[in-house]
Amino acid sequence: MDGTGWRPVKRTRTFEDVLAQIERRITEDGLTAGDRLPAERQLAEQLGVSRSSVREALRVLETLGVVSSQVGRGPDAGAVLTSRPDSALTDLLRLHLGLAGLEMREVIDARHMIEQWAAAHAASSGADTSALAAALAGMDGAKSAEEFVEHDTAFHCAIADASGNRFIAAIMRSLRDSMRKYSVEAVRRLGDTSVLRADHVRILEAVERGDAGEAVRAVSEHLAHAYPTLFR
Amino acid sequence: MDGTGWRPVKRTRTFEDVLAQIERRITEDGLTAGDRLPAERQLAEQLGVSRSSVREALRVLETLGVVSSQVGRGPDAGAVLTSRPDSALTDLLRLHLGLAGLEMREVIDARHMIEQWAAAHAASSGADTSALAAALAGMDGAKSAEEFVEHDTAFHCAIADASGNRFIAAIMRSLRDSMRKYSVEAVRRLGDTSVLRADHVRILEAVERGDAGEAVRAVSEHLAHAYPTLFR
DNA sequence: ACCAATGTATGGTCAGACCATACCTAACCA
DNA sequence: TGGTTAGGTATGGTCTGACCATACATTGGT
């Protein structure tokens, strides 16, 4: 027998077919966040596969932050389309950091890049800074390193949000989530947070003033203060 | 009965427990890419759950690019730990773009940010530029817009790779994958690619010379040429 | 008009079976 | 002895059918 051009009968797994079908439905039918998918049993019957395969496909979509499943009955039950890339990105980062596939240095460099970009864009677009001010106030009242980092994270994520780019903001949130423990440790090692507070005020004022260049410089120096060991 | 402190018997789904157990195993046992996980049936028995739940957990990990399953028997069969965040990021972006949860503008802004950062770092670290030169040569021989974009993507991803940050490089690859069709259309609309070629040469030379500032400017102007409608 | 009991569709889980795959082993033959 | 081949076996992939908990829907009674 000649082996030329032979294709195995089945090259993709069933749940991948289901995945492709659902994705096709999303794009062709113009489904958007909030719309409901058919129930698992219906979907299985429509596609001629078992419920297990449908479930595995839905699990993938849930992992990617595209659907959210609710039990019970009613308009909100079943698989609903969502758009929450945040948790997916967070899981992705956490696991790959755990596998030593990525190093903290790379994460912090990425954060540095994003913060500079976001601060510049927030400044030049005259974004709302009330969320930043609120987070700043929270940091002043913080009684522990954990609490401080919590509000610090809110402050920096608020900058990313203010940039208006949801994708970049999502990456920012995931980065901060992934390095939470690391940040707490850094704050503890630092002891005095007054330097960080002054940095935050400087960033906030630069953004409020619309001074993008100063905002970028302020962010850069702030990170150098927060993680002195990582910057030469 | 007092209701204080009552917790429902089950708050997390079984496969999420499995997920947590596997993740704990990875971190505590120091498992790393290349190591094997127990077989699905063994895992199910060890954790006292059904094979379906184990499979759903493994499906999640596979979606996140953390494990890769091989059928059959032998040392390479079963669920093997990997570290491939690229495809996960690509799927994430593609689906969320399809759901209109993200707009192309945000993707291109993110690309702009990454390319500037990567070009600057590649330049100042004196990275190897042979991959860039190869991609450049490929673009010269391109006979269609698709082929041109293919090598153009390789060129820009090579810059990200040269920056030495694998996380940022992974995002770059995903961004390019997600906007492939959009890029092809942009090249077609442009017609003449000689401007883009000159931009690439300018970027390559700046990186080779180690001139970070010039590299950033060259990247910025290149993107303005490639996507004129998106820059004011 | 309100409220309680019942019905029902949903996702979540389980058990058990069968298939295709690919390695492993032992029997077999030269 | 050495190579080949046939069977064994562990693996993931899929299917079926069942049962549970949940939460809305419906019905009936007050």
Side-chain angles (χ1 to χ4, degrees), chain B residues 133-165:
Chain B
L136 197 56
M139 270 182 276
D140 287 339
K143 291 177 182 60
S144 65
E146 282 86 356
E147 203 181 334
F148 182 87
V149 166
E150 213 58 38
H151 290 100
D152 178 77
T153 298
F155 180 84
H156 290 278
C157 288
I159 296 177
D161 287 332
S163 77
N165 189 309

Short mmCIF file of all heavy atoms in Angstrom, two decimals, chain B residues 133-165:
data_model
loop_
_atom_site.label_atom_id
_atom_site.label_comp_id
_atom_site.label_asym_id
_atom_site.label_seq_id
_atom_site.Cartn_x
_atom_site.Cartn_y
_atom_site.Cartn_z
N ALA B 133 17.17 39.56 10.69
CA ALA B 133 17.67 39.67 9.31
C ALA B 133 17.02 38.61 8.43
O ALA B 133 16.65 38.87 7.28
CB ALA B 133 19.19 39.53 9.31
N ALA B 134 16.87 37.40 8.97
CA ALA B 134 16.27 36.32 8.19
C ALA B 134 14.83 36.66 7.83
O ALA B 134 14.40 36.46 6.69
CB ALA B 134 16.32 35.01 8.99
N ALA B 135 14.09 37.18 8.80
CA ALA B 135 12.70 37.53 8.53
C ALA B 135 12.62 38.64 7.49
O ALA B 135 11.73 38.65 6.63
CB ALA B 135 12.01 37.95 9.82
N LEU B 136 13.54 39.56 7.57
CA LEU B 136 13.59 40.67 6.62
C LEU B 136 13.78 40.13 5.20
O LEU B 136 13.10 40.55 4.26
CB LEU B 136 14.74 41.61 7.00
CG LEU B 136 14.73 43.01 6.41
CD1 LEU B 136 13.43 43.71 6.74
CD2 LEU B 136 15.91 43.81 6.97
N ALA B 137 14.70 39.17 5.07
CA ALA B 137 14.93 38.57 3.76
C ALA B 137 13.67 37.86 3.26
O ALA B 137 13.33 37.93 2.07
CB ALA B 137 16.09 37.57 3.84
N GLY B 138 12.97 37.21 4.17
CA GLY B 138 11.75 36.53 3.80
C GLY B 138 10.71 37.49 3.25
O GLY B 138 10.02 37.21 2.27
N MET B 139 10.62 38.66 3.86
CA MET B 139 9.65 39.66 3.39
C MET B 139 9.96 40.10 1.97
O MET B 139 9.06 40.34 1.17
CB MET B 139 9.67 40.87 4.32
CG MET B 139 8.68 40.76 5.47
SD MET B 139 8.68 42.21 6.50
CE MET B 139 10.04 41.85 7.59
N ASP B 140 11.25 40.22 1.65
CA ASP B 140 11.63 40.66 0.30
C ASP B 140 11.16 39.67 -0.76
O ASP B 140 10.80 40.07 -1.86
CB ASP B 140 13.16 40.81 0.22
CG ASP B 140 13.62 42.04 0.99
OD1 ASP B 140 12.78 42.93 1.20
OD2 ASP B 140 14.80 42.10 1.36
N GLY B 141 11.17 38.38 -0.41
CA GLY B 141 10.76 37.38 -1.38
C GLY B 141 9.28 37.09 -1.39
O GLY B 141 8.83 36.24 -2.15
N ALA B 142 8.52 37.79 -0.55
CA ALA B 142 7.10 37.47 -0.40
C ALA B 142 6.34 37.79 -1.69
O ALA B 142 6.57 38.84 -2.32
CB ALA B 142 6.52 38.24 0.76
N LYS B 143 5.46 36.88 -2.09
CA LYS B 143 4.72 37.06 -3.34
C LYS B 143 3.25 37.41 -3.10
O LYS B 143 2.51 37.67 -4.03
CB LYS B 143 4.79 35.77 -4.16
CG LYS B 143 6.18 35.49 -4.70
CD LYS B 143 6.23 34.16 -5.44
CE LYS B 143 7.64 33.89 -5.92
NZ LYS B 143 8.62 33.81 -4.82
N SER B 144 2.83 37.41 -1.85
CA SER B 144 1.44 37.76 -1.57
C SER B 144 1.40 38.50 -0.24
O SER B 144 2.36 38.49 0.53
CB SER B 144 0.59 36.49 -1.45
OG SER B 144 1.01 35.73 -0.34
N ALA B 145 0.27 39.14 0.00
CA ALA B 145 0.11 39.86 1.25
C ALA B 145 0.20 38.90 2.43
O ALA B 145 0.81 39.20 3.46
CB ALA B 145 -1.22 40.60 1.27
N GLU B 146 -0.40 37.71 2.27
CA GLU B 146 -0.35 36.73 3.35
C GLU B 146 1.10 36.36 3.69
O GLU B 146 1.49 36.33 4.85
CB GLU B 146 -1.11 35.45 2.97
CG GLU B 146 -2.60 35.53 3.06
CD GLU B 146 -3.21 36.08 1.78
OE1 GLU B 146 -2.44 36.45 0.86
OE2 GLU B 146 -4.45 36.14 1.69
N GLU B 147 1.86 36.11 2.63
CA GLU B 147 3.25 35.70 2.86
C GLU B 147 4.04 36.85 3.48
O GLU B 147 4.86 36.64 4.39
CB GLU B 147 3.86 35.30 1.51
CG GLU B 147 5.05 34.36 1.64
CD GLU B 147 5.63 34.00 0.29
OE1 GLU B 147 4.87 34.03 -0.71
OE2 GLU B 147 6.84 33.72 0.21
N PHE B 148 3.78 38.04 3.01
CA PHE B 148 4.46 39.20 3.57
C PHE B 148 4.16 39.32 5.07
O PHE B 148 5.07 39.48 5.89
CB PHE B 148 4.02 40.47 2.85
CG PHE B 148 4.71 41.71 3.35
CD1 PHE B 148 5.93 42.10 2.83
CD2 PHE B 148 4.13 42.48 4.36
CE1 PHE B 148 6.57 43.24 3.30
CE2 PHE B 148 4.76 43.61 4.83
CZ PHE B 148 5.98 44.00 4.30
N VAL B 149 2.90 39.21 5.41
CA VAL B 149 2.51 39.34 6.81
C VAL B 149 3.14 38.23 7.65
O VAL B 149 3.53 38.45 8.80
CB VAL B 149 0.97 39.31 6.95
CG1 VAL B 149 0.55 39.10 8.40
CG2 VAL B 149 0.39 40.60 6.41
N GLU B 150 3.26 37.05 7.04
CA GLU B 150 3.88 35.94 7.76
C GLU B 150 5.30 36.29 8.20
O GLU B 150 5.67 36.12 9.37
CB GLU B 150 3.89 34.70 6.84
CG GLU B 150 3.74 33.40 7.58
CD GLU B 150 2.45 33.38 8.37
OE1 GLU B 150 1.42 33.91 7.88
OE2 GLU B 150 2.48 32.87 9.49
N HIS B 151 6.07 36.81 7.28
CA HIS B 151 7.46 37.16 7.61
C HIS B 151 7.52 38.43 8.44
O HIS B 151 8.40 38.59 9.28
CB HIS B 151 8.28 37.30 6.33
CG HIS B 151 8.51 36.00 5.63
ND1 HIS B 151 7.76 35.59 4.55
CD2 HIS B 151 9.37 34.97 5.89
CE1 HIS B 151 8.17 34.39 4.15
NE2 HIS B 151 9.14 33.99 4.96
N ASP B 152 6.59 39.33 8.20
CA ASP B 152 6.53 40.53 9.03
C ASP B 152 6.28 40.14 10.49
O ASP B 152 6.92 40.65 11.40
CB ASP B 152 5.41 41.44 8.53
CG ASP B 152 5.26 42.69 9.38
OD1 ASP B 152 6.08 43.61 9.23
OD2 ASP B 152 4.32 42.72 10.22
N THR B 153 5.36 39.21 10.68
CA THR B 153 5.08 38.73 12.03
C THR B 153 6.34 38.11 12.65
O THR B 153 6.67 38.36 13.82
CB THR B 153 3.96 37.68 12.00
OG1 THR B 153 2.78 38.29 11.50
CG2 THR B 153 3.70 37.11 13.38
N ALA B 154 7.04 37.32 11.85
CA ALA B 154 8.27 36.70 12.36
C ALA B 154 9.27 37.77 12.77
O ALA B 154 9.94 37.66 13.80
CB ALA B 154 8.87 35.79 11.28
N PHE B 155 9.37 38.82 11.97
CA PHE B 155 10.31 39.91 12.28
C PHE B 155 9.97 40.54 13.62
O PHE B 155 10.83 40.68 14.51
CB PHE B 155 10.24 40.96 11.17
CG PHE B 155 11.16 42.14 11.38
CD1 PHE B 155 12.49 42.07 10.98
CD2 PHE B 155 10.69 43.30 11.97
CE1 PHE B 155 13.33 43.16 11.18
CE2 PHE B 155 11.54 44.38 12.17
CZ PHE B 155 12.86 44.31 11.76
N HIS B 156 8.71 40.89 13.80
CA HIS B 156 8.34 41.60 15.03
C HIS B 156 8.38 40.68 16.25
O HIS B 156 8.74 41.11 17.35
CB HIS B 156 6.96 42.23 14.86
CG HIS B 156 6.97 43.38 13.90
ND1 HIS B 156 7.36 44.65 14.26
CD2 HIS B 156 6.68 43.45 12.58
CE1 HIS B 156 7.29 45.45 13.21
NE2 HIS B 156 6.88 44.75 12.18
N CYS B 157 8.04 39.41 16.04
CA CYS B 157 8.15 38.47 17.17
C CYS B 157 9.61 38.24 17.52
O CYS B 157 9.94 38.02 18.70
CB CYS B 157 7.46 37.16 16.82
SG CYS B 157 5.66 37.29 16.78
N ALA B 158 10.47 38.30 16.51
CA ALA B 158 11.89 38.11 16.79
C ALA B 158 12.42 39.25 17.67
O ALA B 158 13.29 39.04 18.52
CB ALA B 158 12.68 38.05 15.48
N ILE B 159 11.89 40.44 17.46
CA ILE B 159 12.28 41.56 18.33
C ILE B 159 11.87 41.27 19.77
O ILE B 159 12.65 41.43 20.72
CB ILE B 159 11.64 42.87 17.86
CG1 ILE B 159 12.15 43.25 16.46
CG2 ILE B 159 11.95 44.00 18.85
CD1 ILE B 159 11.49 44.49 15.90
N ALA B 160 10.64 40.79 19.91
CA ALA B 160 10.15 40.48 21.26
C ALA B 160 10.98 39.37 21.88
O ALA B 160 11.34 39.44 23.06
CB ALA B 160 8.67 40.08 21.20
N ASP B 161 11.31 38.36 21.09
CA ASP B 161 12.15 37.29 21.62
C ASP B 161 13.51 37.83 22.05
O ASP B 161 14.05 37.44 23.08
CB ASP B 161 12.34 36.20 20.55
CG ASP B 161 11.07 35.38 20.34
OD1 ASP B 161 10.28 35.26 21.30
OD2 ASP B 161 10.88 34.86 19.23
N ALA B 162 14.04 38.74 21.23
CA ALA B 162 15.37 39.27 21.52
C ALA B 162 15.39 40.09 22.80
O ALA B 162 16.45 40.32 23.38
CB ALA B 162 15.85 40.13 20.34
N SER B 163 14.23 40.54 23.24
CA SER B 163 14.20 41.32 24.47
C SER B 163 14.51 40.45 25.67
O SER B 163 14.85 40.95 26.74
CB SER B 163 12.84 41.97 24.65
OG SER B 163 11.89 41.01 25.11
N GLY B 164 14.36 39.14 25.52
CA GLY B 164 14.70 38.23 26.61
C GLY B 164 13.58 37.99 27.59
O GLY B 164 13.74 37.22 28.53
N ASN B 165 12.44 38.63 27.40
CA ASN B 165 11.31 38.44 28.31
C ASN B 165 10.29 37.50 27.66
O ASN B 165 9.59 37.88 26.73
CB ASN B 165 10.67 39.78 28.66
CG ASN B 165 9.64 39.66 29.77
OD1 ASN B 165 8.75 38.81 29.71
ND2 ASN B 165 9.78 40.49 30.78
#
